[in-house]
Amino acid sequence: RLSSPLCSFSTTPRRLSLAPTHTHQPIMASGVGIADDVVEEYSQMKLRSAHKYLQFRINEELTEIVVEHKGESSTQYSDFIAGLPKDDCRYAVFDFDYTLADGGQRNKLVFIAWCPDSAKIKKKMVYASSKDALRKKLVGLTHEVQATDLDELEYDEVFDKVSAGGTK
């Protein structure tokens, strides 16, 4: 054994552990994982238009993001907004349909991070720190709306963001 006042070195070999250090899903910086069905349901929505929207929540133990609601393809945007909790945070992906001034029909998948001002601070912190990792798992999303108030989720507000003011 060699030593000096600043550090010490051992000449004894150490064993390396080959045991896995994580489960099937990576844990986010917040310590919250993503349930397998989140990505599966999103893929069904994206590829087969199986749902009008998906709403996600973090479970009560604050350990995993799970699917809370799957919207029927006939669901209106106003019904989706009305279903968001008033005092708790949620994530969602909505298949947003709109018409351009020239009559062109468009639809875009929009990621929504809903954290109302009335939500508990701990919940807001956990949702904020888990959002980016969830977004990375939901491949193909190009539009995001972060809202703390229902005014920020008004149809016209989202339309302006998604369509670049009605031009795309």
Side-chain angles (χ1 to χ4, degrees):
R1 184 167 176 89
L2 305 172
S3 68
S4 75
L6 299 176
C7 62
S8 65
F9 300 97
S10 173
T11 56
T12 307
R14 302 178 101 183
R15 287 189 184 188
L16 295 176
S17 172
L18 298 177
T21 57
H22 64 279
T23 59
H24 66 286
Q25 286 290 335
I27 301 296
M28 297 179 214
S30 63
V32 176
I34 301 173
D36 291 336
D37 68 330
V38 167
V39 177
E40 290 170 19
E41 292 293 343
Y42 171 72
S43 293
Q44 293 297 315
M45 178 182 184
K46 186 171 102 173
L47 300 175
R48 297 196 180 110
S49 299
H51 313 292
K52 187 66 175 178
Y53 73 90
L54 293 171
Q55 185 172 308
F56 311 107
R57 69 176 178 85
I58 297 177
N59 65 7
E60 295 301 319
E61 297 81 22
L62 303 178
T63 58
E64 189 172 53
I65 296 172
V66 297
V67 175
E68 182 175 45
H69 294 295
K70 298 179 245 184
E72 301 284 323
S73 58
S74 61
T75 303
Q76 298 296 313
Y77 184 72
S78 58
D79 296 330
F80 160 70
I81 297 302
L84 291 172
K86 304 288 183 248
D87 297 322
D88 204 358
C89 303
R90 291 294 185 272
Y91 304 116
V93 176
F94 190 87
D95 188 357
F96 193 81
D97 297 318
Y98 59 96
T99 305
L100 297 174
D102 66 5
Q105 297 287 321
R106 303 281 191 276
N107 74 312
K108 305 270 173 105
L109 293 179
V110 179
F111 181 82
I112 297 171
W114 168 246
C115 279
D117 290 331
S118 57
K120 293 181 179 178
I121 291 175
K122 181 176 182 176
K123 284 275 185 113
K124 288 195 250 185
M125 291 173 61
V126 172
Y127 272 80
S129 61
S130 303
K131 179 182 66 84
D132 288 337
L134 175 60
R135 281 279 321 260
K136 287 178 185 170
K137 285 284 191 185
L138 305 179
V139 177
L141 289 171
T142 56
H143 300 286
E144 178 177 330
V145 175
Q146 295 184 42
T148 59
D149 186 85
L150 288 175
D151 291 342
E152 296 169 309
L153 291 175
E154 289 288 328
Y155 181 89
D156 292 337
E157 289 286 322
V158 177
F159 171 78
D160 285 343
K161 287 181 183 179
V162 170
S163 70
T167 61
K168 294 183 184 180

